[in-house]
Amino acid sequence: MAYTQEEREERYWCCREKKMLVLFETPAGFALFKVLDQGKLDQVEDLWKEFSTSDSARKIVKLKAFTKFENTAEALSTATLLIDSKPSKGLRKFLKAHCDGEQLGVADSKLGNAIKEKLQIDCVHDKSVMELMRGVRSQLSELISGLGVQDLAPMSLGLSHSLSRYKLKFSPDKVDTMIIQAIGLLDDLDKELNTYAMRVREWYGWHFPELAKIVSDNILYAKAVKLMGNRTNAADLDFSEVLPEEIETELKEAAVISMGTEVSELDLMNIKELCDQVLSLSEYRAQLYDYLKSRMNTIAPNLTALVGELVGARLIAHGGSLLNLAKQPGSTIQILGAEKALFRALKTKHATPKYGLIYHASLIGQAAAKLKGKISRTLAAKSVLAIRCDALGDGQDNSMGLENRAKLEVWLRILEGKELGRSAGSTKGKAKIPEYHKDRKNGTGALVTPAQTYNSSADAVLGTPAPLEDSDVKKRKQVETEEPAAE
């Protein structure tokens, strides 16, 4: 903020009228120094000369008050708050008791703003205050009586160790940044490897187009092209180390009758160099995958046991870190990676997605299409527990992840059994029993009831009609003679 000349002069004289104190933090506690000669603060460049000796330093500042930390825990909590520019409860009490109408010089401007807001104490942070604190630090043991150098050194060392352990919070082996970088590089390698392999197929396809249908694997294709070179060499080469026997036989037969064009040696040399690039990238990808697998088993063993190394690493990378992922609920983990589809569905009021990155887990891949939603919801809930156990727990094993995975597999089998029962006509997986078989519904009583006999009278038999008796013939003749008379 820019001040005019009059405002600067007024501010200067107001500061000169106020007594100035300096807040200084030590490993043993807080110290308040009173500035005896404020005129020396105007000469910032020469201020360090006043602290060359202890006698000259006592003419500039004088110890007004000192508060000592009760234990290491209080020192650690106070130092942690000061890193975040927040005054502790003990510091606020100390300043209320000894700062009344004085101006306070602080080393952190944000801390000065917090003190001014909470305690209404005018705080100053400028170049002169920093030089003053630098001089106080050089003569600290002389300015504070009873606090020697032999006491300050172990206090500083112990507090720094405690603070570093507190700020670290986790084992140094648990660095999820390495996982984020590794999974990003692995995805990039897959794209580059696929691009290079397709380029080899297109380039060599002009010379031997039939090879693309015979060898479908990109790595085996590159190895075969590097070994063979010109297709005319295929009949005299041994591909047993590269290809299976039946594919080798088919390759040699196709090389004789191939419809491809001829290529020069220079073209073949460039194609072989591209094959070398493909093979080197594939080897490096295998090494990177092994590295990612070992890091995931170290940092997130339970999550790895549930969803696998690649899906777990992508979840961590998408969340930013393992700790950030542990703060998310299960519903967020379930659709993590499908944010675009989620917001589009909410905007258009359609059905929201059921899964995101977690869809590629093996458990969801085993489920039927109708059960993927249920399994993804259950897997996301178990994955949150595994992530929190990995991020905040003390254990280093994957017993929790393996146990939850076994439960999910059992639950999947149960759901599949229910679906099978529904398709058979009953919700419980049993065939329906007709109502007239009442004795079969009584459990074990059905075993002792007599079996039903065959009813032959219900059959309809087609054959020659039986001969009529004399009485039947007389009746038929009588009916035939009566009918014309009735007409």
Side-chain angles (χ1 to χ4, degrees), residues 317-380:
H318 202 82
S321 67
L322 188 64
L323 187 60
N324 290 343
L325 205 62
K327 298 175 184 178
Q328 305 295 334
S331 57
T332 303
I333 301 295
Q334 181 181 351
I335 60 170
L336 204 65
E339 290 85 0
K340 189 175 180 181
L342 173 66
F343 293 129
R344 184 172 64 246
L346 292 175
K347 185 178 179 180
T348 58
K349 296 183 180 180
H350 284 77
T352 55
K354 295 181 180 179
Y355 23 66
L357 292 171
I358 206 170
Y359 177 79
H360 300 285
S362 60
L363 279 171
I364 298 181
Q366 297 173 13
K370 293 182 179 180
L371 304 177
K372 287 185 185 295
K374 291 183 179 180
I375 290 298
S376 64
R377 184 168 61 249
T378 312
L379 180 60

Side-chain angles (χ1 to χ4, degrees), residues 84-373:
D84 298 331
S85 301
K86 297 178 182 178
S88 63
K89 187 176 181 181
L91 177 59
R92 292 198 298 268
K93 288 183 179 180
F94 177 64
L95 293 177
K96 280 182 181 178
H98 298 92
C99 290
D100 187 13
E102 286 103 346
Q103 199 175 27
L104 185 65
V106 292
D108 187 5
S109 59
K110 293 182 179 179
L111 178 63
N113 293 332
I115 292 174
K116 185 177 181 180
E117 182 182 352
K118 294 184 178 180
L119 304 177
Q120 285 74 42
I121 298 175
D122 191 13
C123 296
V124 179
H125 172 75
D126 54 15
K127 190 175 180 180
S128 61
V129 173
M130 297 304 295
E131 286 293 327
L132 189 62
M133 288 192 172
R134 180 186 175 192
V136 170
R137 189 178 293 109
S138 63
Q139 300 291 339
L140 185 61
S141 59
E142 299 294 334
L143 293 173
I144 302 177
S145 58
L147 190 64
V149 179
Q150 67 276 7
D151 298 328
L152 278 176
M155 285 181 182
S156 302
L157 186 63
L159 182 59
S160 62
H161 285 177
S162 301
L163 187 61
S164 62
R165 283 195 298 268
Y166 178 78
K167 294 298 289 182
L168 188 61
K169 291 183 182 178
F170 304 110
S171 170
D173 296 332
K174 291 194 170 186
V175 184
D176 47 12
T177 308
M178 304 300 174
I179 289 180
I180 297 173
Q181 298 297 331
I183 190 62
L185 179 58
L186 193 68
D187 292 338
D188 293 340
L189 276 178
D190 286 336
K191 292 179 183 177
E192 292 296 324
L193 192 59
N194 188 43
T195 303
Y196 282 14
M198 291 298 105
R199 183 65 61 190
V200 170
R201 286 179 177 271
E202 291 177 5
W203 202 347
Y204 195 74
W206 291 99
H207 178 59
F208 194 0
E210 292 83 5
L211 184 62
K213 294 182 179 179
I214 298 172
V215 182
S216 58
D217 186 76
N218 292 331
I219 307 302
L220 295 180
Y221 187 93
K223 288 181 179 180
V225 170
K226 182 183 176 183
L227 179 62
M228 178 170 49
N230 199 310
R231 67 170 184 265
T232 56
N233 303 328
D236 302 329
L237 293 175
D238 183 17
F239 293 90
S240 59
E241 296 181 358
V242 179
L243 301 174
E245 184 178 354
E246 59 275 6
I247 296 180
E248 180 183 359
T249 305
E250 189 177 356
L251 185 148
K252 291 182 178 181
E253 292 176 356
V256 178
I257 59 173
S258 177
M259 300 295 292
T261 61
E262 297 295 331
V263 293
S264 64
E265 291 296 328
L266 183 61
D267 295 334
L268 288 175
M269 183 180 68
N270 285 286
I271 293 174
K272 287 182 179 180
E273 289 180 358
L274 184 56
C275 292
D276 292 335
Q277 293 289 331
V278 172
L279 296 177
S280 62
L281 281 177
S282 66
E283 291 176 2
Y284 178 61
R285 188 203 178 279
Q287 294 176 4
L288 186 63
Y289 177 73
D290 293 338
Y291 166 76
L292 179 64
K293 188 175 181 180
S294 64
R295 296 303 296 170
M296 282 296 295
N297 286 322
T298 302
I299 295 175
N302 293 295
L303 180 62
T304 304
L306 268 177
V307 299
E309 298 87 7
L310 294 178
V311 178
R314 288 192 176 95
L315 287 174
I316 294 174
H318 202 82
S321 67
L322 188 64
L323 187 60
N324 290 343
L325 205 62
K327 298 175 184 178
Q328 305 295 334
S331 57
T332 303
I333 301 295
Q334 181 181 351
I335 60 170
L336 204 65
E339 290 85 0
K340 189 175 180 181
L342 173 66
F343 293 129
R344 184 172 64 246
L346 292 175
K347 185 178 179 180
T348 58
K349 296 183 180 180
H350 284 77
T352 55
K354 295 181 180 179
Y355 23 66
L357 292 171
I358 206 170
Y359 177 79
H360 300 285
S362 60
L363 279 171
I364 298 181
Q366 297 173 13
K370 293 182 179 180
L371 304 177
K372 287 185 185 295

Side-chain angles (χ1 to χ4, degrees), residues 25-30 66-71 75 147 151-152 155-156 159:
E25 178 199 356
T26 68
F30 288 107
F66 183 81
T67 177
K68 186 180 179 182
F69 296 134
E70 294 182 0
N71 48 36
L147 190 64
D151 298 328
L152 278 176
M155 285 181 182
S156 302
L159 182 59

